[in-house]
Amino acid sequence: MSSLFSAYSLRGVEFRNRVFVSPMCQYSSRDGLPNDWHMVHLGSRAVGGAGLVCVEATGVSPEGRISPGDTGLWSEEHARAFAPIASFIKSQGARAAIQLAHAGRKASTDLPWRGGKPLGEREGGWQTIAPSAVPFGDWPAPREMTNDDIEAVVKQFVDAARRASEAGFEVVELHMAHGYLLHEFLSPLSNRREDEFGGGLENRARFPLQVAEAVRAVWPAELPLFARISATDWVEGGWDLEQSVVFSRWLKERGVDLVDCSTGGLVPGARIPVAPGYQVPFAERIRGEAGVATGAVGLITEPEQAEEIISSGKADVVFLARAELRDPYWPLHAAKQLGAQAPWPVQYGRAAD
Ligand SMILES: Cc1cc2nc3c(=O)[nH]c(=O)nc-3n(C[C@H](O)[C@H](O)[C@H](O)COP(=O)(O)O)c2cc1C
């Protein structure tokens, strides 16, 4: 019996297996609207047998995008454009998820294949916002957010979550990782505020928790809410695992059902000991100590490796990114290797063995 290919439930949603497609920016939208690329890219991975397919980091506002090519969910038109994609993913037996994001001081950059550098206003860029006017490396300084800005961004997340539900998504993941806005509030390296949103852990966590609580209030009770965090900044004096455990407990108390445990991204040049499964211990510790379901992510590429993570109780699910780009049929191939029933689409039955 494969643990990786055993079904899993959160609230009223059952996942056919524990292979989840990690959110991956495609930088291929105009005005935040998803298009044929997104349908084929996400649709292929649903056909490929994953338990859940998560749409890339999707801006809750135009200024919250990493680049002008990011998807967004700041209007009803965006919700309508996402609806057929969510519908197709579900028609293939996968669950449809979307990651909601605000890039904070790391917004307003060029597409990665054009260098990914910060864009000036003349090149279509915009003024970024952050907890404090502390830049990311040598990038332009963000504007420090006022309390009105904070309230406005909470509302943007809430409105986007409501639209995600209208579009037919079954899971929302809040992006609190990789040095984007919510992570910038958590980390003392980027949050130098002296008001109730800065200082001690409780204060730094206040805004991300407000977002989680406000989204949970509008997100249907039968549907799961995830949060992706960076469990460490990999920098002395930064955000770390101890704080992540406490924060994950607080997220759980506010109705977050699963913490997706990534790391890093807050400061350039952090020394990260990258190796197969290097972030799995964070998912394991948070699962054990915060008592919340976790997802493991990062250099998980082999079926046996993924199987071991689940069967040994290190995490409840695995998120795959690059392995799924290399092979959208990764779950079908992995199921075969693990001797599990592979979720082949009926149309492809003659190729299944
Ligand atoms: C092309 C690409 C785009 C990505 N975009 C996102 C994103 O939108 N949101 C996010 O949280 N992580 C993003 N990531 C990170 C992945 O979700 C994942 O955490 C990381 O690649 C490590 O997993 P892997 O070793 O399986 O690739 C992206 C990664 C890649 C390769």
Side-chain angles (χ1 to χ4, degrees):
M1 267 294 284
S2 161
S3 302
L4 188 64
F5 285 92
S6 62
Y8 179 56
S9 293
L10 286 170
R11 294 193 186 241
V13 172
E14 188 182 84
F15 305 93
R16 62 182 164 183
N17 60 52
R18 288 130 187 281
V19 183
F20 287 11
V21 178
S22 205
M24 282 181 277
C25 290
Q26 300 297 295
Y27 307 102
S28 299
S29 283
R30 256 194 201 195
D31 300 323
L33 293 165
N35 53 44
D36 289 351
W37 174 263
H38 302 88
M39 172 62 96
V40 174
H41 162 67
L42 297 159
S44 305
R45 280 148 191 88
V47 169
L52 169 143
V53 176
C54 190
V55 175
E56 67 193 77
T58 295
V60 297
S61 67
E63 307 75 39
R65 290 173 297 172
I66 301 165
S67 81
D70 290 24
T71 49
L73 199 44
W74 59 81
S75 82
E76 302 310 313
E77 188 187 355
H78 294 85
R80 281 194 295 275
F82 269 116
I85 296 176
S87 168
F88 182 79
I89 292 171
K90 293 188 288 187
S91 76
Q92 299 308 302
R95 296 303 190 165
I98 187 163
Q99 187 183 50
L100 298 181
H102 192 301
R105 68 179 186 174
K106 287 172 74 178
S108 184
T109 63
D110 207 351
L111 310 185
W113 49 85
R114 287 205 303 235
K117 291 276 182 306
L119 288 173
E121 289 193 25
R122 274 208 224 120
E123 305 157 303
W126 56 90
Q127 171 67 56
T128 59
I129 57 171
S132 307
V134 180
F136 175 76
D138 59 2
W139 289 17
R143 177 174 68 73
E144 177 175 319
M145 288 169 75
T146 62
N147 283 15
D148 285 350
D149 292 324
I150 290 176
E151 244 178 73
V153 175
V154 172
K155 182 165 184 307
Q156 288 164 359
F157 270 95
V158 166
D159 291 344
R162 201 180 293 118
R163 291 185 193 110
S165 157
E166 285 163 18
F169 288 103
E170 301 162 294
V171 175
V172 154
E173 174 167 283
L174 298 171
H175 200 345
M176 301 191 172
H178 302 166
Y180 298 119
L181 186 64
L182 300 177
H183 182 186
E184 288 160 19
F185 270 82
L186 293 173
S187 176
L189 302 176
S190 43
N191 182 346
R192 307 271 170 77
R193 297 177 78 92
E194 291 176 358
D195 61 3
E196 72 269 33
F197 294 102
L201 173 58
E202 217 167 304
N203 279 4
R204 281 180 277 119
R206 193 178 306 279
F207 171 51
L209 291 175
Q210 281 180 358
V211 169
E213 195 167 337
V215 166
R216 184 70 267 180
V218 298
W219 186 241
E222 70 279 11
L223 300 181
L225 178 62
F226 295 1
R228 171 167 279 197
I229 65 166
S230 279
T232 177
D233 290 338
W234 297 110
V235 177
E236 197 69 34
W239 182 255
D240 58 19
L241 179 56
E242 279 61 43
Q243 297 174 83
S244 294
V245 167
V246 177
F247 180 60
S248 297
R249 219 175 274 139
W250 291 341
L251 286 173
K252 189 188 175 190
E253 285 165 11
R254 281 157 185 83
V256 169
D257 302 291
L258 182 141
V259 177
D260 173 5
C261 302
S262 188
T263 69
L266 190 91
V267 289
R271 291 162 67 108
I272 306 181
V274 176
Y278 71 107
Q279 295 175 147
V280 175
F282 296 96
E284 184 179 10
R285 280 276 300 275
I286 290 171
R287 187 174 193 259
E289 294 180 25
V292 65
T294 59
V297 66
L299 280 177
I300 301 169
T301 57
E302 305 309 315
E304 292 80 5
Q305 179 195 16
E307 175 70 22
E308 192 275 336
I309 292 166
I310 305 299
S311 64
S312 63
K314 295 187 174 83
D316 297 275
V317 304
V318 290
F319 285 85
L320 269 57
R322 288 164 292 180
E324 273 279 343
L325 289 188
R326 291 181 201 112
D327 178 10
Y329 303 111
W330 193 96
L332 299 178
H333 296 146
K336 179 162 188 238
Q337 208 166 309
L338 296 170
Q341 180 109 30
W344 283 89
V346 286
Q347 294 90 335
Y348 292 1
R350 287 175 64 185
D353 50 12

